Amino acid sequence: MNVVHTINDLKAQLAAFRSSGCSIGLVPTMGALHAGHASLVRRSLMENDVTAVSIFVNPTQFNDKNDLAKYPRTLESDCQLLSTVADEVAATKGCESNIVVFAPSVDEIYPEPDTRQFSYPPTDTVMEGGFRPGHFNGVCQIVSKLFSYAEPTRAYFGEKDYQQIAVIRRMVDDLKLNLQLCPCPIVREADGLALSSRNTLLTPDERQTAVGISQTLFKSVEYAKSHSLAETKQWVVDTINAIEGLEVQYYEIVDGLSLQSLTDWTDADNIVGCITVFCGHLPVRLIDNIRYK
Ligand code: AMP
């Protein structure tokens, strides 16, 4: 496994593979890696000859400077986890796993401010887009840069950030990028809580409380079978808000592609509920989602 810190080194490493016809997988991350990230890396290693994993806490997607400051940064243990995943996959495939870790500085990525504006409404204006102005513009800035450095055959993103995939799908279409977007299912703790780097900021008590989010979403699938969409939405919000230490910021039940809010279960074939909840004393902002159809 090679760790590089500059764009030139990343390009040089990948060029060597590309010139011999190898496929390239890209897994963009902000580090503090856990089993959710590992699932993306594992899949990329299985499906490609070489995998580039970027580890970069991208400042332009944080609209809250405090959130940026407290975001965990753990490069050494991240590399250990990646090396373990690489060994596991190598044993399964019976050949070497090639990983290039790209861990650049902020100056390397943004030697000058990125003034590009991306706009893909409604995917980037609803939900997270409304509550975190500029967030998806920052996501598009960094992801488009990573795409141009790595020129991946396939790029892997987790459905935990459901809206992010919808926005990036629009960007890939818009820029006519020649790559395959690969959404990967949410990895959860045994009790159901979606794995997140932010979970490490919860106290043990808050961690117990946080499970109420996924438990409520799971139960809502059953509830939805005998209730209207509006009733289900209200039930999820009320049930989570009744748990001490949790406060729903929004819950929207949307069309899974356009992310447009729905009013009836029959309005779309692909229906997803997306939630953001504040948890605990900091508080920590947790997101999750559930598929109804
Ligand atoms: P992040 O480091 O939070 O920016 O996440 C990097 C990638 O890992 C994104 O595509 C996330 O959606 C994905 N990811 C994060 N947590 C999970 C999870 N629990 N299950 C699946 N993918 C995840």
Side-chain angles (χ1 to χ4, degrees):
M1 191 173 87
N2 287 319
V3 183
V4 298
H5 301 282
T6 66
I7 297 161
N8 281 343
D9 284 349
L10 173 71
K11 285 186 171 183
Q13 292 267 331
L14 296 180
F17 286 97
R18 194 176 292 109
S19 62
S20 42
C22 290
S23 57
I24 298 173
L26 172 69
V27 183
T29 84
M30 297 204 297
L33 302 183
H34 50 62
H37 301 106
S39 73
L40 274 54
V41 175
R42 199 172 288 118
R43 184 163 156 208
S44 176
L45 286 169
M46 291 300 291
E47 295 178 353
N48 300 281
D49 300 306
V50 58
T51 291
V53 180
S54 61
I55 297 182
F56 179 64
V57 183
N58 174 40
T60 71
Q61 71 189 70
F62 284 81
N63 55 316
D64 174 352
K65 294 296 158 224
N66 192 31
D67 190 22
L68 173 62
K70 73 188 179 198
Y71 202 86
R73 290 160 171 87
T74 58
L75 183 59
E76 205 174 311
S77 55
D78 290 348
C79 289
Q80 278 163 11
L81 181 141
L82 292 173
S83 161
T84 307
V85 174
D87 290 347
E88 279 168 19
V89 175
T92 310
K93 278 173 89 174
C95 64
E96 204 189 336
S97 286
N98 298 305
I99 297 193
V100 181
V101 179
F102 177 49
S105 66
V106 173
D107 282 348
E108 178 69 11
I109 300 294
Y110 300 110
E112 51 204 58
D114 191 338
T115 54
R116 293 174 301 156
Q117 292 292 326
F118 296 83
S119 176
Y120 301 116
T123 59
D124 60 347
T125 52
V126 297
M127 302 188 289
E128 291 297 282
F131 286 100
R132 301 181 69 187
H135 169 67
F136 287 118
N137 197 53
V139 168
C140 288
Q141 287 177 341
I142 184 61
V143 172
S144 62
K145 279 175 181 270
L146 293 170
F147 284 170
S148 78
Y149 308 151
E151 297 180 56
T153 320
R154 300 181 186 86
Y156 297 81
F157 293 90
E159 286 182 339
K160 155 108 182 335
D161 298 276
Y162 192 88
Q163 189 172 359
Q164 175 168 273
I165 297 180
V167 174
I168 293 172
R169 188 179 289 123
R170 288 279 304 275
M171 184 183 78
V172 167
D173 284 351
D174 176 36
L175 303 180
K176 305 277 179 286
L177 300 179
N178 185 23
L179 60 88
Q180 190 186 330
L181 215 54
C182 304
C184 303
I186 302 178
V187 176
R188 298 180 179 279
E189 302 276 9
D191 63 5
L193 178 68
L195 291 186
S196 165
S197 308
R198 290 195 163 88
N199 294 353
T200 59
L201 302 171
L202 300 169
T203 66
D205 280 352
E206 290 167 356
R207 164 67 188 80
Q208 287 311 308
T209 306
V211 75
I213 303 167
S214 55
Q215 280 175 351
T216 306
L217 292 181
F218 298 154
K219 283 185 199 151
S220 76
V221 174
E222 197 51 41
Y223 186 93
K225 289 178 184 161
S226 52
H227 294 83
S228 70
L229 189 149
E231 286 166 341
T232 305
K233 197 168 145 181
Q234 195 61 47
W235 182 82
V236 167
V237 173
D238 292 347
T239 306
I240 294 180
N241 280 340
I243 301 171
E244 203 184 323
L246 296 183
E247 190 192 336
V248 176
Q249 186 175 39
Y250 66 79
Y251 186 54
E252 294 292 342
I253 299 180
V254 299
D255 176 285
L257 269 187
S258 72
L259 303 192
Q260 215 118 35
S261 280
L262 299 174
T263 50
D264 196 278
W265 294 122
T266 55
D267 284 349
D269 297 329
N270 178 356
I271 301 184
V272 178
C274 297
I275 197 158
T276 290
V277 180
F278 290 110
C279 178
H281 72 290
L282 283 173
V284 181
R285 196 171 176 277
L286 299 174
I287 64 172
D288 202 344
N289 61 78
I290 192 86
R291 182 170 293 279
Y292 291 102
K293 226 169 142 190

